Amino acid sequence: MLGGLISAGASLLSGAISAVGTACSAIGGTVISTGRVMIDAINGGLPMVARICDAALTVGKGLGVFATEHNEVDMYELGMRTERAVEEGTTSEQFDNNQAYIDYLREKITLSNEDRINLKNLSDSDKLKYACIGSAMTIATIKEKYEIDIPETFWSITTDLGIQPEKFKPMLDIFENAKLQPDLNGFMKGELSSDLQRSIYDLIDERLSGVLGKEIVDKLIS
């Protein structure tokens, strides 16, 4: 994600924070909180943004939010369509869920031929803005599709740990099957209740080690 965008000045980053915050606040619902995930990622630097966007796209493919052949341009497109919908006064809160909103965006928000050409030649600022808006929309939809509460910190802590995008969905599936909140940040800080702390430790030891590998597991439980 964010191919070709290697570095960014303070003005580009601050502009993206403002644009993403404004758009996600207008979209409403859970996208307000997932917008904060992306704003925190921007504050963490472009590599963090790129990793979270990649993870969101990969999990989104696994859950049917994106088709398997979709790529980063489709994430930019989702961001652009979302921005256009908000400008027209159509927000996520007018729909039963975020997937229904995304379906509406793809079916009813028209992009011109010029828009489609521009998606492949975006400026650095638009690339960052649309990637973050699209990812916030995707993460909000992912949250709805799981029967566990995925904390906002999940996305940053997992990317900090070096967990690869293709590992995110299997990991979330394991947490969901165990009916445990994937609060890895709280777990690593020892801030959870003793029962939840022990349950997550056992889950990592017994089931997640095969998904994440020894290096990541060692970071989690060290």
Side-chain angles (χ1 to χ4, degrees), residues 25-36:
S25 294
I27 295 163
T30 54
V31 184
I32 295 175
S33 63
T34 58
R36 287 195 293 269

Side-chain angles (χ1 to χ4, degrees), residues 91-193:
T91 70
S92 67
E93 294 180 336
Q94 297 167 25
F95 296 80
D96 291 338
N97 52 57
N98 286 314
Q99 183 64 63
Y101 185 49
I102 288 177
D103 292 342
Y104 168 85
L105 296 175
R106 289 173 172 157
E107 293 171 7
K108 301 298 184 182
I109 300 299
T110 303
L111 297 183
S112 66
N113 288 334
E114 183 179 0
D115 287 330
R116 294 184 181 281
I117 292 171
N118 288 340
L119 279 168
K120 298 179 181 179
N121 299 282
L122 292 171
S123 66
D124 286 352
S125 59
D126 280 345
K127 188 177 289 188
L128 183 57
K129 176 181 70 171
Y130 289 135
C132 288
I133 294 173
S135 294
M137 193 70 242
T138 302
I139 291 171
T141 308
I142 291 167
K143 283 174 67 72
E144 286 184 347
K145 289 179 178 288
Y146 278 96
E147 295 181 0
I148 49 173
D149 180 27
I150 303 172
E152 292 177 21
T153 55
F154 172 82
W155 300 91
S156 59
I157 192 69
T158 45
T159 52
D160 276 342
L161 286 166
I163 297 173
Q164 295 302 306
E166 65 272 14
K167 304 292 186 181
F168 276 60
K169 185 177 182 297
M171 176 173 51
L172 286 170
D173 290 347
I174 288 171
F175 271 102
E176 183 177 51
N177 289 335
K179 296 181 171 57
L180 292 175
Q181 183 188 37
D183 188 353
L184 298 180
N185 186 58
F187 172 78
M188 293 179 71
K189 291 181 177 179
E191 295 175 348
L192 307 179
S193 68

Side-chain angles (χ1 to χ4, degrees), residues 19 38 100 194:
M38 298 315 303
S194 57

Side-chain angles (χ1 to χ4, degrees), residues 7-122:
S7 61
S11 61
L12 189 151
L13 295 177
S14 63
I17 288 171
S18 176
V20 172
T22 299
C24 291
S25 294
I27 295 163
T30 54
V31 184
I32 295 175
S33 63
T34 58
R36 287 195 293 269
V37 171
M38 298 315 303
I39 288 172
D40 288 345
I42 295 170
N43 284 323
L46 291 179
M48 173 68 76
V49 177
R51 290 195 297 269
I52 291 179
C53 290
D54 284 340
L57 178 62
T58 303
V59 178
K61 288 181 180 182
L63 294 173
V65 182
F66 292 95
T68 54
E69 67 271 16
H70 281 168
N71 57 33
E72 64 184 53
V73 175
D74 297 284
M75 183 66 86
Y76 302 148
E77 180 179 323
L78 178 58
M80 179 182 284
R81 287 180 184 274
T82 304
E83 183 182 60
R84 297 284 173 83
V86 168
E87 290 171 352
E88 295 175 6
T90 306
T91 70
S92 67
E93 294 180 336
Q94 297 167 25
F95 296 80
D96 291 338
N97 52 57
N98 286 314
Q99 183 64 63
Y101 185 49
I102 288 177
D103 292 342
Y104 168 85
L105 296 175
R106 289 173 172 157
E107 293 171 7
K108 301 298 184 182
I109 300 299
T110 303
L111 297 183
S112 66
N113 288 334
E114 183 179 0
D115 287 330
R116 294 184 181 281
I117 292 171
N118 288 340
L119 279 168
K120 298 179 181 179
N121 299 282
L122 292 171

Side-chain angles (χ1 to χ4, degrees), residues 163 167 171 204 208-217 220:
I163 297 173
K167 304 292 186 181
M171 176 173 51
I204 292 169
L208 282 171
S209 58
V211 172
L212 301 178
K214 184 178 184 302
E215 182 180 351
I216 300 298
V217 168
L220 279 168

